[in-house]
């Protein structure tokens, strides 16, 4: 449906009246990043358990990661949720959004691997 409306806008020469909303975009990124993070964390933890790691190590890593990632994600989202309607549609905020987006995804993808490696080194 969106594709058809977009094609209609292009064919008629009318620009879409739907403004970009940085608040919704960041909220969507946070939700998806948490899903990806959780999947990666489960995969990394199960993999560490299969390699014969100490039985407490994977669980300790899970507790630390869960305790650490939620406040970090809330911080990213809080920065953008408080925008006014005019600010939320301001395209001048795109570089700041991309910076936060890259940091969020770096944490979501990198943190499971980094902390599991850190704990494996400590308990090795």
């Amino acid at each position: 449906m969106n594709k058809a409306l977009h094609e209609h806008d292009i064919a008629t020469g009318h620009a879409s009246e739907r403004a970009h909303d940085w608040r919704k975009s960041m909220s969507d990124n946070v939700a998806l990043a948490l899903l990806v993070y959780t999947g990666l964390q489960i995969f990394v933890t199960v993999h560490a358990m299969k390699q014969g790691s100490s039985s407490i190590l994977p669980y300790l890593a899970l507790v630390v990661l869960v305790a650490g990632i939620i406040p970090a994600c809330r911080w990213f989202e809080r920065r953008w949720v408080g925008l006014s309607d005019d600010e939320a549609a301001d395209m001048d905020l795109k570089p700041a959004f991309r910076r936060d987006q890259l940091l969020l995804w770096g944490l979501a993808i990198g943190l499971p691997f980094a902390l599991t490696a850190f704990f494996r080194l400590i308990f090795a």
Side-chain angles (χ1 to χ4, degrees), residues 53-64:
S53 295
S54 168
S55 62
I56 193 72
L57 169 68
Y59 300 110
L60 182 59
L62 279 173
V63 169
V64 169

Side-chain angles (χ1 to χ4, degrees), residues 13 16 31 36 39 43 46-47 62 73 80 85 88-89 92 101 115:
S16 176
V36 169
F43 171 77
V46 168
H47 184 67
L62 279 173
C73 287
W80 293 92
D85 289 341
D92 290 338
Q101 188 180 35
L115 283 177

Side-chain angles (χ1 to χ4, degrees), residues 4-5 72 90 96 121-122:
L5 290 173
D90 185 1
L121 286 173
I122 289 175

Side-chain angles (χ1 to χ4, degrees), residues 6-49:
H6 180 66
E7 289 173 357
H8 180 270
D9 288 343
I10 291 172
T12 60
H14 293 91
S16 176
E17 293 182 24
R18 182 177 155 219
H20 190 79
D21 189 342
W22 296 119
R23 299 170 296 195
K24 181 177 178 347
S25 295
M26 183 53 71
S27 184
D28 291 347
N29 271 271
V30 166
L32 188 56
L34 283 171
L35 288 173
V36 169
Y37 162 82
T38 303
L40 281 174
Q41 181 56 35
I42 290 169
F43 171 77
V44 170
T45 301
V46 168
H47 184 67
M49 290 173 73

